[in-house]
Amino acid sequence: MSEPLGSEGTTRRLPVLDKDRTAEDDVPEPVPDPAPETAPGSGRFWSARRVPAAVVALLLAALAGVLLYDIAAVRADRPPLRVRRELARQLAERPLDDVWVLVGAGVAAALGLWLILLAVTPGLRDVLPMRRPDPDVRAGLHRGAAGLVLRDRAMEVAGVQSVQVRAGRRRADVRAVSHFRDLDDVRADLDAVLGDAVRGLGLARPPALSVRVRRPGRKG
C-alpha cells in the first residue's frame, strides 16, 4: 500500500498524536510582566548659570588686565595708575570703622554670598522633575505646560466657564468660574478630574491641589 501523496506529488509523513498529553498542556503558561525598575529620587535640574558666570568672568578679566597693565607700566619706569594710587591712599588713611569702608565690605560680602548661593542651588525652578522609570533617562516638565494641561482638563468639567491655573513646585492653585450647577458639585468634579490629571503628569513630586470655585461677577 502506497503512502498518500502531497500537493506536489511528494510523500508526507502523518503527524503523530501523543495520547498522554491533555488540553491543559497546550495552554502556554502566562509570563509575568517584569516589574518596572524605579530609579532613585529624581532631583531638580541644575542651571548652567551662564549669565552670572559670564559677568564674573568679564569683571575678573577686566581687573586682571588693568592690574597687569599697571605692573608693566611700573616695571617700565612709568608712574602707576592714578586709580591705584588713590585707592592705596584711601585704604591707608581711612580707619576700619569708616562708613565707606563698611559699605564696601558689605557690598563685597553680599556679592560673595550671592555667588555662593548660585553655586550651591540648582536653579531652573520652572522645570518640574518627572519620575524616572529608567535610571539612564531624566525628564522634566515646564510649569507652564503643566498648568495648561490642568486648565484644559478643568475646562472639560460641566459648569466651568473659565479657569486660571498657577502650577508651582509644591502646589497648584486652580481658580475656576462656574456659571451654572452647584458650586460644591463643580468643586467635587474638579477635585476628581484634576487629581487624575496631576497623577497623569508623571511628576516625581506631584503638587498639592488648591481648588476654588466662584460665580462670575456682575457686569456693570
Side-chain angles (χ1 to χ4, degrees):
M1 184 176 180
S2 61
E3 296 181 355
L5 296 178
S7 59
E8 298 180 356
T10 58
T11 60
R12 182 179 57 186
R13 181 171 295 179
L14 296 177
V16 179
L17 298 179
D18 189 359
K19 297 181 180 180
D20 296 335
R21 297 181 62 186
T22 60
E24 296 179 355
D25 297 334
D26 297 334
V27 179
E29 296 181 358
V31 179
D33 296 334
E37 297 180 357
T38 303
S42 178
R44 289 171 54 188
F45 290 84
W46 282 77
S47 173
R49 309 291 191 188
R50 293 184 177 87
V51 175
V55 172
V56 173
L58 289 176
L59 290 177
L60 291 178
L63 291 177
V66 172
L67 181 61
L68 289 176
Y69 173 80
D70 188 39
I71 293 176
V74 173
R75 293 289 183 179
D77 295 332
R78 300 182 63 178
L81 293 177
R82 182 178 178 182
V83 176
R84 188 162 73 98
R85 289 181 296 172
E86 183 66 20
L87 180 62
R89 187 182 66 82
Q90 292 290 339
L91 292 177
E93 296 178 357
R94 289 182 179 272
L96 296 179
D97 58 350
D98 186 76
V99 176
W100 290 108
V101 174
L102 296 177
V103 169
V107 171
L111 289 176
L113 291 177
W114 178 63
L115 293 177
I116 293 175
L117 183 65
L118 292 180
V120 300
T121 54
L124 292 181
R125 298 177 60 87
D126 289 339
V127 180
L128 304 176
M130 303 180 70
R131 289 193 298 267
R132 299 179 64 182
D134 192 309
D136 297 330
V137 178
R138 289 194 67 192
L141 182 64
H142 198 276
R143 289 196 300 178
L148 288 177
V149 172
L150 296 180
R151 189 194 66 180
D152 293 342
R153 292 295 304 274
M155 289 299 297
E156 297 175 359
V157 176
V160 175
Q161 182 180 16
S162 62
V163 181
Q164 292 181 353
V165 179
R166 182 180 180 184
R169 291 190 299 116
R170 294 184 177 87
R171 191 177 67 174
D173 295 327
V174 181
R175 303 293 181 264
V177 176
S178 176
H179 57 296
F180 71 93
R181 293 184 65 197
D182 186 72
L183 295 182
D184 294 335
D185 295 340
V186 176
R187 186 179 298 107
D189 291 345
L190 285 175
D191 289 336
V193 171
L194 295 179
D196 294 337
V198 169
R199 288 188 292 270
L201 293 176
L203 299 177
R205 298 177 181 85
L209 281 175
S210 175
V211 181
R212 295 182 183 180
V213 185
R214 62 179 178 86
R215 294 295 185 193
R218 294 182 179 180
K219 297 181 179 181

